[in-house]
């Protein structure tokens, strides 16, 4: 087997922590993946992996060799593509994942224009707010909003998502309009609980560049954006929400912005790639397109 192919198989096994999962993502028999790693270890004269019945993990030598493999694979792929990319159009399959509301309201309506511009690219689109394992699920990239955990993935910042405070006219008629955070003690909020952790978010605002927060009185807690907005429309309390998410309701007068001088800190938008991956041209053009799309849509 070609040496670079051995390197690719070895890095995938490390990233998947499993011969079986690595074989599935590579479209190879498990026995071939195992044989490739054994061949590589024989060539190097070093043990690269600890093997148990439940998990595979790199040895100290394997960890050092893995980092070298990533660099070598990237160099080879870049060299191979130097002239091919100049003459060819981006093509092939892209498997991506974006948050639910952004996917439905922004990405999908604009996707026909992207596919018309790049007719040789096909897109497998995941629209979900759940955590996605890029390696095990063979995902090329994900869009994430908010603070990121230290995942070891390649992160590309593509801007910020402004948040605003809104209420329904019905709520404001009943409870009055808050003007500053000092008024919040007399008001109700619809609480938002993270669907992944269950943690209820506090009410936040920036004051002279300092992030402030306080818990709010609430009778209702929602764990999805759709329910959160619906509760606000029903007059159940104030909410903090990305501005793009409620633009139609604001334009229709169904919701009203309050305390515009005391907005929460904008949320970071980031595209994440697997560390193993030397970015393909189709992924480059999609990421550039997505960045421009979101900049225009959420600003």
């Amino acid at each position: 087997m070609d040496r670079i192919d051995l390197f690719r198989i070895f890095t995938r096994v490390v990233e998947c922590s499993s011969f079986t999962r690595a074989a599935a993502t590579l479209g190879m028999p498990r026995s071939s993946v195992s044989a490739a790693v054994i061949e590589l270890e024989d060539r190097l004269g070093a043990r690269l992996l600890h093997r148990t019945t439940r998990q595979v993990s790199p040895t100290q030598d394997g960890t050092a060799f893995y980092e070298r493999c990533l660099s070598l694979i990237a160099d080879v792929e870049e060299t191979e593509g130097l002239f091919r990319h100049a003459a060819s159009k981006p093509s092939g399959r892209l498997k991506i994942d974006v948050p639910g509301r952004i996917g439905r309201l922004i990405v999908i309506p604009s996707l026909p224009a992207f596919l018309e511009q790049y007719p040789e690219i096909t897109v497998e689109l995941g629209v979900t707010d759940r955590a996605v394992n890029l390696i095990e699920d063979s995902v090329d990239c994900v869009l994430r909003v908010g603070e990121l955990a230290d995942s070891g993935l390649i992160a590309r910042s593509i801007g910020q998502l402004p948040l605003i405070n809104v209420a329904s006219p019905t709520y404001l008629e009943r409870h009055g309009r808050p003007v500053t955070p000092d008024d919040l003690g007399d008001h109700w909020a619809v609480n938002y609980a993270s669907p992944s952790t269950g943690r209820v978010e506090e009410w936040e605002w920036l004051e002279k560049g300092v992030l402030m927060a306080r818990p709010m009185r609430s009778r209702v807690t929602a764990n999805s954006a759709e329910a959160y907005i619906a509760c606000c429309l029903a007059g159940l309390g104030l909410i903090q929400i990305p501005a793009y998410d409620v633009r139609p309701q604001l334009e229709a007068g169904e919701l009203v912005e309050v305390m515009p001088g005391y907005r929460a800190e904008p949320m970071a938008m980031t595209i994440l790639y697997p560390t193993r991956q030397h970015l393909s041209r189709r992924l480059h053009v999609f990421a550039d397109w997505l960045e421009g799309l979101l900049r225009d849509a959420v600003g």
Side-chain angles (χ1 to χ4, degrees):
M1 186 177 291
D2 181 85
R3 192 170 301 175
I4 289 296
D5 289 335
L6 293 178
F7 293 171
R8 289 190 176 105
I9 292 170
F10 167 70
T11 57
R12 189 67 61 86
V13 172
V14 172
E15 290 156 358
C16 292
S17 300
S18 164
F19 285 105
T20 301
R21 287 196 294 269
T25 64
L26 290 166
M28 298 174 61
R30 184 192 183 284
S31 58
S32 298
V33 171
S34 179
V37 173
I38 292 172
E39 180 182 345
L40 186 58
E41 288 178 323
D42 289 342
R43 288 192 182 192
L44 297 172
R47 186 173 179 82
L48 299 176
L49 297 173
H50 295 298
R51 300 160 172 85
T52 69
T53 55
R54 302 187 65 178
Q55 192 174 20
V56 176
S57 61
T59 63
Q60 185 175 352
D61 289 338
T63 298
F65 187 65
Y66 169 75
E67 298 298 331
R68 291 289 296 159
C69 281
L70 290 178
S71 178
L72 288 168
I73 292 168
D75 287 344
V76 167
E77 291 182 348
E78 184 175 6
T79 301
E80 289 176 341
L82 278 176
F83 305 105
R84 182 176 66 247
H85 284 178
S88 65
K89 295 180 179 179
S91 63
R93 188 199 71 156
L94 274 177
K95 187 173 182 180
I96 61 176
D97 191 89
V98 298
R101 296 280 294 181
I102 288 179
R104 290 190 292 274
L105 298 179
I106 299 177
V107 176
I108 291 174
S110 301
L111 200 55
F114 174 80
L115 295 176
E116 184 175 354
Q117 185 177 0
Y118 300 105
E120 296 180 29
I121 293 178
T122 60
V123 175
E124 186 174 332
L125 179 63
V127 179
T128 176
D129 295 314
R130 70 174 178 86
V132 172
N133 187 310
L134 276 74
I135 305 298
E136 292 187 9
D137 295 339
S138 298
V139 175
D140 294 300
C141 72
V142 298
L143 172 67
R144 286 294 170 257
V145 175
E147 187 176 350
L148 298 175
D150 184 12
S151 62
L153 299 172
I154 299 172
R156 170 180 170 177
S157 175
I158 61 169
Q160 294 186 318
L161 190 62
L163 298 171
I164 60 174
N165 313 307
V166 299
S168 71
T170 301
Y171 175 88
L172 296 177
E173 289 172 8
R174 187 177 306 155
H175 300 281
R177 180 189 293 260
V179 178
T180 73
D182 291 337
D183 300 329
L184 291 175
D186 298 325
H187 285 271
W188 297 89
V190 178
N191 278 340
Y192 183 80
S194 167
S196 57
T197 67
R199 177 177 175 271
V200 174
E201 307 293 340
E202 292 188 320
W203 191 273
E204 296 182 348
W205 69 95
L206 285 171
E207 190 166 345
K208 296 179 180 178
V210 178
L211 182 63
M212 313 291 286
R214 59 161 293 167
M216 290 284 290
R217 293 190 304 164
S218 178
R219 295 191 183 99
V220 179
T221 299
N223 67 353
S224 74
E226 285 82 1
Y228 192 51
I229 295 168
C231 287
C232 187
L233 288 166
L236 294 172
L238 310 169
I239 65 171
Q240 296 186 306
I241 194 80
Y244 84 89
D245 238 338
V246 290
R247 189 169 294 142
Q249 292 86 349
L250 290 170
E251 292 174 352
E254 298 171 340
L255 293 176
V256 178
E257 182 177 6
V258 298
M259 297 190 300
Y262 299 94
R263 291 181 173 183
E265 187 173 29
M267 301 173 72
M269 296 187 295
T270 310
I271 296 178
L272 298 176
Y273 312 106
T275 55
R276 63 173 170 80
Q277 187 169 349
H278 178 64
L279 303 186
S280 64
R281 190 170 176 223
R282 62 181 174 274
L283 189 49
H284 271 298
V285 297
F286 178 81
D288 290 344
W289 173 80
L290 183 61
E291 180 175 4
L293 175 68
L294 293 176
R295 188 189 303 116
D296 293 340
V298 306

